[in-house]
Amino acid sequence: MFGVWTSCISWIGLGFGCWSLRFLNSRGLLSIFAMENQMKTVRDAPDVLDVNSSGIVGGGGMGDTYCEDAASDNQPFTPWTRSVASGVDLLRDPRFNKGTAFTDKERESHYLRGLLPPVVVDQELQINRILENVRAYETDLEKYVEVMDLQERNERLFYKVLIDHVEELLPIVYTPTVGEACQKFGNIFRRPHGLYISLKDKGHVLDCLRNWPEPNVQVIVVTDGERILGLGDLGSQGMGIPIGKLALYVALGGIRPSATLPVTIDVGTNNQSLLDNPFYIGLRHKRATGEEYDDLLHEFMVACKQAYGEKVLVQFEDFANHNAFRLLAKYSTSHLVFNDDIQGTAAVALAGLLAALPITGGTLADHKLLFVGAGEAGTGIAELVAMEISRQGKISVEEARKKIFLVDSQGLVTKSRFDSLQPFKKPFALDIAPISKLASVIKELKPTVMIGTTGKGGQFTQEVLEEFSSYQDKPVVFALSNPTSQSECTAEEAFKHTKGKCIFASGSPFKPVTYEGKTYTIGQSNNAYIFPGMGLGTTISGAIRVHDDMFLAAAESLAKEIGEDHLAKRQLFPSFTEIRDISAHIGAAVAEKAYELGLATKLPKPKDLLGYAKSCMYSPVYRQFR
Ligand SMILES: NC(=O)C1=CN([C@@H]2O[C@H](COP(=O)(O)OP(=O)(O)OC[C@H]3O[C@@H](n4cnc5c(N)ncnc54)[C@H](OP(=O)(O)O)[C@@H]3O)[C@@H](O)[C@H]2O)C=CC1
Ligand SMILES: CC(=O)C(=O)O
Ligand SMILES: [Mg+2]
């Protein structure tokens, strides 16, 4: 369908000049021309831009895209064409707009004369201007709005500034600010920036996907908004999360922006304050459940493959756990799908634990791990850790699970509660008397690692941290709940209440902590280290399924990035400034695993997977228009 669309455009464009392109957005019109133009086959490599004077992009090259067509041919010059609007439409198209960075020549050839102020600046100066504006805002939410506006105006500038200033801007486009943005999404709403698929679209989900302007989608992040970070049910306003995650796929993992699709499935919300809010953007009723919910989700999953093929990666994000586990189980055998909160989080936390071993000494199997919070993140990590212990120690996963204890909102997960336990908790149920208080659980079981995934701030109290550090020298404390307000403790509290002994990581960013004259850098144990590389790896290998071993490979690859200089600062995760290179390594490791498991379809396998991964990564540097 879209191949025909592209060829039609090129034929029309060449025949009638740039002005004619402006009339070509009606599907009916296009299909008529497509009938006349079946003979022309023109490849589409949307991010490699080269525009001729009639407003048609033409030329070829691999460049920074791994649009499957371009990548699979593996030729330096693959013929293709791409239509780009001229004049004011070009300025209004964020994908191609360069604003005042358009050169005089480009302004002349693309009908921009008079539409811009006379100054011509480079991307660097534009970045400085953006940063100055962003920094001038007092609140992070204002900064978020400014930065997301830029994404809507000038995509390459948005990604360049994000990549070059990732440490400063990640907390704005991602946790913690994205949480507040979701809470107030209706108030700050400007443009949709993703697909909203609601119960009103039942029977027409494929039409929704077909209305999306980009034909070559490779990564979809979808939420139903029921568990947004630790902020609960935010309904349609959860859309901020897929948008933010996909911005990171591009900035950190080098996926082409045009290959990303944020989706929110709206089945209602149980958040009464949103239902009462006149600015709420979603369906104004309680959540649909059961068959009605499942049918819409199923229609969506089927439509994804119909629209984008077998190899489109679907990332489930921030679903409540009663849906998350069963959706993953239901679709993991038929789709290229993973759940970021269960599997991505597991890989990043495992990487942190592996990285901590040189400090704690011993192997993973020598540890006793306590998970405070036994939902998606908690049991996801627990299962992957058990897999790793089993693999390293050549013991069964059942045996490995014995080193793991869970605590949920009712206290320790024990066999006495077995019948009422959710299925994902059952494998870890202990055969001991129930204990409800966290400090008492610690006293009884003496874990060496404590991982918080409760979504409830402040669970690691002074009493809990003091108890946990009372019998060991190197207590490992991960407070993974997001955003910052929901963190089980702050970095400062962790160091203070363990008397500087802890090895600490958090889900949201914390500033370095100085305790008794020594400064510690706080590593961020966030799945943002994993999913961009996972997307890169599955895409470059043409993987058709995601397998747990790919997450183990990703975790091991990430753990290798931690060296002695990091450990000297007790930093278990590298700085995000290094993340693009790290994502390439993770991508190569994931792709390698996909080939090993027979799940890769891109053949022959590239000889140098790392080099190939790097060569495929999107670069936001401006293109020259000819
Ligand atoms: N750092 C990262 O990369 C990631 C962080 N997260 C964060 O983790 C948090 C949880 O997410 P997720 O696992 O998906 O959520 P779930 O709702 O699936 O799990 C939450 C768990 O916490 C338990 N819980 C709630 N209150 C308490 C309490 N006071 N004491 C002990 N346990 C408690 C719940 O108990 P019960 O089962 O009894 O209800 C449940 O088991 C969120 O804040 C999220 O932002 C999530 C993914 C990635
Ligand atoms: C990071 C993430 O995925 C979460 O907090 O849900
Ligand atoms: Mg999440």
Side-chain angles (χ1 to χ4, degrees):
M1 161 77 194
F2 283 105
V4 172
W5 184 90
T6 310
S7 62
C8 168
I9 289 284
S10 73
W11 181 75
I12 301 284
L14 292 167
F16 298 102
C18 73
W19 55 268
S20 61
L21 293 173
R22 302 186 189 167
F23 300 102
L24 292 178
N25 281 333
S26 134
R27 182 165 294 149
L29 182 63
L30 287 176
S31 58
I32 294 167
F33 284 113
M35 293 289 288
E36 296 177 19
N37 195 37
Q38 293 290 343
M39 290 143 57
K40 276 191 191 294
T41 42
V42 184
R43 289 195 183 278
D44 177 25
D47 271 311
V48 187
L49 197 64
D50 183 7
V51 189
N52 69 26
S53 61
S54 66
I56 302 296
V57 190
M62 286 275 292
D64 55 14
T65 177
Y66 49 90
C67 166
E68 184 161 356
D69 283 349
S72 62
D73 282 347
N74 205 18
Q75 292 166 4
F77 289 99
T78 305
W80 53 271
T81 64
R82 171 80 176 185
S83 61
V84 169
S86 289
V88 78
D89 289 346
L90 178 54
L91 297 182
R92 285 177 184 156
D93 185 341
R95 196 135 290 165
F96 303 110
N97 180 28
K98 303 201 284 185
T100 48
F102 278 115
T103 63
D104 286 335
K105 261 186 165 175
E106 288 168 335
R107 294 176 193 206
E108 174 61 29
S109 59
H110 288 81
Y111 304 89
L112 297 173
R113 195 178 272 282
L115 298 183
L116 288 162
V119 70
V120 176
V121 303
D122 62 16
Q123 210 175 9
E124 283 310 311
L125 193 91
Q126 289 180 314
I127 287 175
N128 291 341
R129 176 161 42 84
I130 296 294
L131 284 176
E132 200 164 303
N133 290 340
V134 169
R135 286 170 186 159
Y137 286 111
E138 274 178 22
T139 69
D140 286 345
L141 189 63
E142 287 170 311
K143 292 177 199 224
Y144 176 88
V145 171
E146 174 74 16
V147 172
M148 299 320 281
D149 267 358
L150 177 63
Q151 190 181 22
E152 294 291 354
R153 274 197 323 271
N154 181 335
E155 192 175 81
R156 280 183 184 267
L157 189 56
F158 167 78
Y159 283 113
K160 186 84 170 75
V161 75
L162 183 53
I163 290 167
D164 291 356
H165 299 270
V166 66
E167 294 264 328
E168 180 176 351
L169 293 179
L170 209 59
I172 304 297
V173 301
Y174 194 54
T175 181
T177 310
V178 71
E180 188 186 355
C182 288
Q183 288 173 311
K184 300 175 181 159
F185 211 72
N187 298 65
I188 62 172
F189 185 83
R190 281 159 165 70
R191 293 175 71 183
H193 206 92
L195 272 184
Y196 294 80
I197 296 173
S198 81
L199 285 171
K200 289 200 285 192
D201 302 308
K202 202 167 173 327
H204 302 280
V205 174
L206 186 58
D207 296 336
C208 296
L209 295 182
R210 293 239 191 267
N211 286 342
W212 185 249
E214 296 297 338
N216 294 317
V217 170
Q218 290 175 314
V219 184
I220 295 171
V221 176
V222 58
T223 188
D224 72 353
E226 192 169 3
R227 195 285 281 144
I228 294 298
L229 307 178
L231 302 171
D233 183 351
L234 299 184
S236 238
Q237 302 198 163
M239 180 56 114
I241 293 293
I243 292 172
K245 293 267 175 186
L246 284 163
L248 304 200
Y249 263 102
V250 176
L252 313 187
I255 303 290
R256 284 178 299 117
S258 59
T260 66
L261 172 56
V263 177
T264 292
I265 306 272
D266 187 342
V267 296
T269 178
N270 296 337
N271 184 329
Q272 194 57 46
S273 70
L274 286 180
L275 290 173
D276 293 340
N277 182 339
F279 301 129
Y280 178 56
I281 59 169
L283 292 180
R284 218 167 271 276
H285 57 66
K286 295 275 184 209
R287 279 185 178 273
T289 56
E291 218 173 291
E292 201 180 4
Y293 177 93
D294 284 357
D295 286 353
L296 188 65
L297 260 291
H298 189 68
E299 190 182 337
F300 168 71
M301 292 305 289
V302 171
C304 284
K305 270 205 200 173
Q306 284 175 314
Y308 308 118
E310 176 90 2
K311 285 175 271 179
V312 63
L313 177 65
V314 180
Q315 170 172 323
F316 287 128
E317 189 69 48
D318 289 8
F319 283 73
N321 63 39
H322 59 98
N323 287 320
F325 286 97
R326 59 184 197 87
L327 289 175
L328 181 61
K330 182 170 176 184
Y331 293 107
S332 60
T333 52
S334 57
H335 287 66
L336 181 69
V337 65
F338 74 96
N339 182 299
D340 187 38
D341 301 296
I342 302 171
Q343 296 165 289
T345 314
V348 76
L350 175 59
L353 294 173
L354 294 175
L357 291 177
I359 308 179
T360 61
T363 67
L364 203 52
D366 296 326
H367 282 280
K368 290 198 279 181
L369 300 99
L370 174 65
F371 288 85
V372 186
E376 295 166 63
T379 62
I381 304 167
E383 287 292 2
L384 201 71
V385 166
M387 253 181 247
E388 180 72 6
I389 293 176
S390 142
R391 213 175 53 93
Q392 282 184 9
K394 304 205 177 0
I395 56 173
S396 69
V397 172
E398 289 72 27
E399 200 59 29
R401 285 192 190 117
K402 290 184 181 157
K403 297 172 185 301
I404 292 170
F405 324 122
L406 306 182
V407 166
D408 64 12
S409 65
Q410 311 298 306
L412 191 62
V413 171
T414 56
K415 288 227 160 101
S416 57
R417 300 168 49 197
F418 199 80
D419 290 345
S420 63
L421 288 176
Q422 289 158 292
F424 46 88
K425 295 176 186 169
K426 287 188 175 181
F428 298 94
L430 291 178
D431 202 3
I432 63 171
I435 312 174
S436 55
K437 202 167 164 257
L438 180 55
S440 309
V441 170
I442 295 169
K443 206 179 188 112
E444 173 69 24
L445 297 172
K446 302 227 169 347
T448 56
V449 172
M450 179 165 71
I451 298 182
T453 60
T454 58
K456 303 275 186 307
Q459 298 304 314
F460 295 170
T461 59
Q462 179 171 352
E463 184 193 8
V464 164
L465 288 165
E466 282 179 354
E467 180 60 45
F468 185 56
S469 56
S470 66
Y471 51 87
Q472 53 186 334
D473 293 333
K474 300 279 186 315
V476 178
V477 180
F478 285 7
L480 299 189
S481 291
N482 297 317
T484 319
S485 59
Q486 308 308 104
S487 187
E488 281 75 14
C489 65
T490 65
E492 204 161 343
E493 286 163 349
F495 281 91
K496 191 168 153 204
H497 299 317
T498 62
K499 298 201 168 53
K501 290 203 269 183
C502 70
I503 302 163
F504 180 75
S506 55
S508 291
F510 281 101
K511 292 203 163 61
V513 169
T514 303
Y515 184 82
E516 291 189 343
K518 207 162 173 222
T519 299
Y520 303 98
T521 305
I522 310 304
Q524 200 179 334
S525 180
N526 193 296
N527 48 35
Y529 279 102
I530 297 295
F531 62 75
M534 182 59 65
L536 185 59
T538 54
T539 314
I540 62 170
S541 61
I544 50 160
R545 296 288 177 270
V546 177
H547 191 283
D548 279 338
D549 285 358
M550 295 181 188
F551 285 100
L552 283 177
E556 283 166 6
S557 173
L558 178 58
K560 278 190 208 144
E561 302 294 332
I562 295 299
E564 279 175 17
D565 46 337
H566 292 106
L567 294 179
K569 293 178 274 175
R570 276 193 231 163
Q571 184 187 347
L572 299 183
F573 296 90
S575 150
F576 272 110
T577 50
E578 306 159 46
I579 186 71
R580 273 173 76 87
D581 190 55
I582 292 169
S583 291
H585 280 86
I586 294 176
V590 166
E592 184 70 57
K593 192 52 78 179
Y595 281 103
E596 202 180 304
L597 294 168
L599 295 172
T601 60
K602 186 175 164 18
L603 298 170
K605 175 184 164 190
K607 281 198 188 77
D608 170 14
L609 268 177
L610 179 60
Y612 183 62
K614 285 184 178 171
S615 75
C616 288
M617 290 173 85
Y618 164 81
S619 156
V621 172
Y622 283 144
R623 296 293 171 214
Q624 297 303 311
F625 288 51
R626 276 190 303 207

